[in-house]
Structure formats: structure tokens, C-alpha cells
Amino acid sequence: MEKYTSWRDKGTGIAPFLPPPVSNPGFGALLLQTLLFAVKFIILLPLIITYGVSHSKLVLSWILGFLFGWKLDVTVQGVKRRDLGNLRNYPQKGKLYLCNGISALDAFALDMISQGPSCFLVPQDHIIFKMNKNQYFKFAQSGSLDAGKFGREVGSLRQLKNTVNFMFVEGTCSNGKSVLPFALNEAELLEFLQLPETDRSATLQSIQLKVNGSLVTPLKVNQVKYLTTMYTRGVHFKIKLNEPQKLVPLEGLRTLLNDNNKFKLVSKTLNVESKRRFVQEYSSKSSYRR
């Protein structure tokens, strides 16, 4: 991996674009788990058809839980666990929430806790693109470098009054070891919120995501292989809703998304453009392909 030192942060040693090594189960274990998954899928067919008609989040949670052992561990900063049943503590319509991006499953996890239909936003090249959860899944699985191919441009938050809006503010997925520099600046975010650049009192709520290391998608992944990893290893998300914090300076929100640890933030040079160059280098080395 010494070939990729140019994409390793000099201060922390973190290489945010490098996929973690994933060991595969033995052939016998894989065959058994695949057969078990197929049986579960057949059993769930009526429920899957029901979801296709109703799009019920509750039904989807049953399906994901049965097929993949899907678990969501949700915490809300400043709210006691016994009060988490109050739906007002969860993401609401018309609001914007800043999130870190680590996997193709992020949008599904966030949709589970949203109090209304969800919209997922990705800033790239000074444009903000909106997607539904299925589009975001495909975007993240493809390597998360071409948001325009999967989403549609949106100009302001006022156009999104009827959805719960999550912005993957890094503009691409990392491997979850740190938080990348944001793909838009304070002025661009204030413009999207239609707030004056002189407004220093605006606040935003951020949401930190963590998932099993085997399921992060900093680079393009094979869909069949990813599905296999899901049912052989399970899916466990940790979601933390932070208390609202001042938007300006924006670096404060980035620190909050990184467990409030500014010392483990990677350099601002490790951005989306840097990842594009890394992908070219990584892809050219067949011996390191995933």
C-alpha cells in the first residue's frame, strides 16, 4: 500500500479512500449462508410484494431485519434513551441535516428514522444534486464520484418543503476513518438555505453515521459481492443526531461529525478531486483491486 502514500494524511496517517480488507467465509460456510438467504427470501416474498405496493418503512425494517440482521442503534444528543420514542426528536420535514457518507446503505438507514419522505443531497462541483434512497444506493455503489448521473440539480431548500432532507456534505463516500473536507463552503450553504452571508446565528443539525467496516463503500463495489457481505456479516448502523450547532464557521460542524475530534480530521487536500485521482491510480493496479 506504499504506492498510495500521496492519499494518506500526513498528520493522522489516515487513508480515507482505501477500502478495508474483507476476509471471505469458506466455501462451505458461504454455500450454507447463501442457501439460508434464498430460503428466507422465498418466505418473505409476500411481505416484499406488500412493501412494493405500500412502501412502508415498518415493513421494510422487517424485511431487512429478517434477511440481513439489520440493526439501527440511534442516539440523540441531549435526549435520554427513555425519551427516544418522541418522534419530534427525529428528522422532520422541510429541514436540512448534514451527514457523513460511508456506505451505499446510508440513505436506507436515514430513511428509517425520518419523519416523512426522504431526500438525499450531494454537493459536487458547486452544484447540489438530489436523489431518492435507491438512486443514492446506486451512486454510492458506483464509487460516488458522479452525482449528476444519478440525481437532479436543486437550487434551494425552499424547493424541498415536503421532504426530510439529508446532505452528504463531503460530496462522496469515505471509509469512515475520518470526515473529508466539505464539498461546499459557507457561502454556498447559506445560499442554498437562502440566508444572508452575514448571518452568523444560523444553526444546523448534523447526523453521524457508522456501519460495520466490511460494508463501507469508498470505492466502486460489485453488487453481488456487496449483497453477499450483507447477509453473511449482517448490517449494524450506529446513528447519532447531534445537537444543532452554528453553521459558521462550517469547520465546527465537520469536527462534530468526526466524534468532535479535530485531531483526526484529514487534510483539506483529501477532497473529491483527490479521490478521483486516487481511483485512477488504484484501478490501474490490478493486484490491489477489490
Side-chain angles (χ1 to χ4, degrees):
M1 297 301 175
E2 291 180 2
K3 296 178 183 295
Y4 306 117
T5 53
S6 296
W7 292 277
R8 188 179 294 277
D9 181 63
K10 291 182 174 65
T12 64
I14 293 171
F17 311 133
L18 202 62
V22 179
S23 58
N24 296 317
F27 177 77
L30 178 59
L31 179 61
L32 181 61
Q33 288 176 303
T34 301
L35 289 173
L36 180 60
F37 175 78
V39 170
K40 286 181 176 180
F41 186 85
I42 292 169
I43 292 172
L44 280 184
L45 269 178
L47 204 58
I48 293 170
I49 294 171
T50 299
Y51 172 71
V53 175
S54 67
H55 301 290
S56 166
K57 294 180 184 181
L58 180 59
V59 172
L60 180 59
S61 68
W62 290 340
I63 293 171
L64 294 176
F66 190 63
L67 288 178
F68 306 111
W70 179 286
K71 295 179 183 177
L72 288 183
D73 183 6
V74 182
T75 58
V76 181
Q77 192 175 11
V79 177
K80 294 180 179 178
R81 188 165 290 275
R82 66 170 180 263
D83 297 325
L84 288 179
N86 187 338
L87 299 181
R88 287 180 296 179
N89 293 318
Y90 293 89
Q92 304 292 317
K93 279 185 184 181
K95 293 188 176 181
L96 178 67
Y97 301 85
L98 300 188
C99 314
N100 61 313
I102 52 175
S103 83
L105 298 171
D106 293 347
F108 282 85
L110 291 168
D111 185 61
M112 292 287 192
I113 65 169
S114 68
Q115 301 307 298
S118 301
C119 175
F120 303 97
L121 305 168
V122 179
Q124 280 189 359
D125 302 320
H126 306 289
I127 300 172
I128 297 174
F129 299 94
K130 68 174 183 177
M131 309 176 193
N132 59 35
K133 62 179 182 289
N134 295 317
Q135 290 169 328
Y136 184 82
F137 182 86
K138 294 175 182 177
F139 162 71
Q141 277 205 330
S142 75
S144 59
L145 286 173
D146 191 359
K149 182 178 177 181
F150 299 90
R152 292 191 297 122
E153 185 177 345
V154 61
S156 75
L157 186 62
R158 290 184 183 178
Q159 297 173 247
L160 306 171
K161 292 180 180 179
N162 297 317
T163 52
V164 185
N165 307 296
F166 303 97
M167 180 181 286
F168 294 100
V169 71
E170 298 159 285
T172 190
C173 291
S174 75
N175 60 15
K177 301 295 184 183
S178 182
V179 175
L180 304 177
F182 290 171
L184 76 177
N185 57 38
E186 293 163 6
E188 290 168 333
L189 186 52
L190 285 166
E191 182 181 356
F192 180 73
L193 294 168
Q194 296 197 324
L195 295 172
E197 288 189 36
T198 54
D199 191 339
R200 298 293 181 187
S201 62
T203 61
L204 275 180
Q205 191 168 5
S206 61
I207 301 178
Q208 183 186 31
L209 297 169
K210 293 182 179 181
V211 72
N212 341 10
S214 57
L215 293 172
V216 298
T217 54
L219 301 180
K220 182 178 180 179
V221 293
N222 177 275
Q223 291 189 13
V224 174
K225 186 176 180 180
Y226 196 67
L227 177 67
T228 303
T229 303
M230 288 173 64
Y231 67 73
T232 57
R233 295 180 175 272
V235 182
H236 185 192
F237 265 97
K238 291 184 178 180
I239 303 178
K240 181 182 178 184
L241 283 75
N242 296 310
E243 290 181 330
Q245 180 169 310
K246 284 187 178 180
L247 189 156
V248 179
L250 201 53
E251 194 68 6
L253 283 162
R254 183 177 173 227
T255 303
L256 202 59
L257 280 175
N258 197 49
D259 277 332
N260 214 24
N261 189 342
K262 65 181 180 181
F263 299 108
K264 285 191 176 182
L265 286 174
V266 294
S267 165
K268 290 186 179 181
T269 61
L270 292 170
N271 54 18
V272 178
E273 284 305 316
S274 178
K275 181 177 172 179
R276 288 193 175 106
R277 295 192 296 272
F278 172 80
V279 168
Q280 290 178 347
E281 176 74 12
Y282 187 88
S283 300
S284 68
K285 310 295 181 183
S286 58
S287 60
Y288 291 120
R289 284 180 183 170
R290 203 170 182 186

